[in-house]
Amino acid sequence: MKVMPTSLPGVLLIQPRVFSDPRGFFMETWQAHRYQLEGIPGRFVQDNYSCSTRGVLRGLHYQLKHPQGKLVYVLQGEVFDVAVDIRQGSPTFGHWTSAVLSGKNHHQLYIPAGFAHGFCVLSETAHFLYKCTDFYEPGDEYGLRWDDPSLGINWPLSAPQLSEKDGQYPTLDSVAQEYLPVAEDLR
Ligand SMILES: Cc1cn([C@H]2C[C@H](O)[C@@H](COP(=O)(O)OP(=O)(O)O[C@H]3O[C@H](C)C(=O)[C@H](O)[C@H]3O)O2)c(=O)[nH]c1=O
């Protein structure tokens, strides 16, 4: 397994070891000890699975009371995945990083708690799995506009299919500080 830093400290790109043979392939998608050695927490409490069609964009979402760290990957299809540092006081506040995750490259992205997360689908369908470090709390869902000009994310599409909720989120510069997570080491 190879783990590489990204332009955002704490956000890690993981290339798990894949064992291919004439039957197909085998890979471990998570292993607490090995991932903890690479700085990825061993405490995931919830797995999520979403399926989306080409052109769908889910995000940019974050939580406040129960901020979720996420280990995200694609079983089938291809997505452009984005993490945005929105932690108050962070030196990389307002910066973003991205990775193309697919059922072919098997890459994973670890996104720490306190970051906004989203992805758009580049294939006919994308089966998206992720592990979360905290539980989902219906009243604890917040988000930012996918096309926030102050973020300048280079999405590889221009007219995504959004949920009604995702189409109404504010820009980062219009969100009051108390509605933004605090960097854990600054708590
Ligand atoms: C996230 C979540 C949702 N739900 C229910 C709530 C809704 O009735 C339905 C769809 O939820 P939503 O439209 O928020 O799903 P996504 O747009 O995929 O949201 C996710 O998308 C981005 C990319 C993320 O990183 C977050 O995990 C999450 O915000 O599932 C649950 O029951 N449990 C959950 O953990």
Side-chain angles (χ1 to χ4, degrees):
M1 146 172 161
K2 278 195 288 185
V3 179
M4 286 152 289
T6 65
S7 59
L8 287 184
V11 178
L12 299 170
L13 181 66
I14 301 118
Q15 296 179 2
R17 190 170 172 194
V18 180
F19 299 90
S20 297
D21 66 31
R23 299 169 300 172
F25 71 85
F26 175 92
M27 61 181 280
E28 294 178 1
T29 52
W30 176 67
Q31 203 266 24
H33 296 154
R34 193 172 310 125
Y35 278 63
Q36 257 175 310
L37 288 175
E38 299 290 351
I40 296 156
R43 184 184 182 275
F44 290 104
V45 296
Q46 179 174 318
D47 281 359
N48 292 340
Y49 171 21
S50 69
C51 179
S52 310
T53 50
R54 185 185 298 274
V56 164
L57 190 153
R58 295 178 184 252
L60 298 161
H61 301 159
Y62 66 97
Q63 307 77 34
L64 280 180
K65 278 193 304 183
H66 302 276
Q68 294 174 319
K70 294 174 189 142
L71 178 65
V72 305
Y73 56 105
V74 171
L75 271 192
Q76 190 182 50
E78 186 177 65
V79 308
F80 178 83
D81 200 81
V82 174
V84 186
D85 188 353
I86 57 168
R87 298 167 302 168
Q88 295 177 53
S90 167
T92 51
F93 180 82
H95 296 194
W96 60 275
T97 190
S98 66
V100 174
L101 308 176
S102 75
K104 284 199 168 50
N105 69 21
H106 304 296
H107 290 180
Q108 300 173 316
L109 199 63
Y110 176 67
I111 303 150
F115 285 65
H117 174 240
F119 66 88
C120 68
V121 178
L122 307 175
S123 50
E124 276 315 304
T125 55
H127 293 254
F128 191 84
L129 270 79
Y130 51 113
K131 304 183 80 69
C132 302
T133 59
D134 205 338
F135 297 105
Y136 169 71
E137 178 80 33
D140 190 32
E141 293 181 282
Y142 300 86
L144 299 171
R145 278 183 67 105
W146 66 282
D147 59 348
D148 182 343
S150 65
L151 298 178
I153 297 170
N154 293 331
W155 295 102
L157 47 64
S158 54
Q161 180 187 339
L162 304 169
S163 67
E164 191 181 333
K165 178 179 65 165
D166 288 356
Q168 296 167 357
Y169 281 132
T171 56
L172 180 58
D173 52 12
S174 68
V175 176
Q177 286 292 303
E178 63 264 29
Y179 287 99
L180 291 173
V182 180
E184 270 187 2
D185 52 351
L186 298 176
R187 274 198 180 142

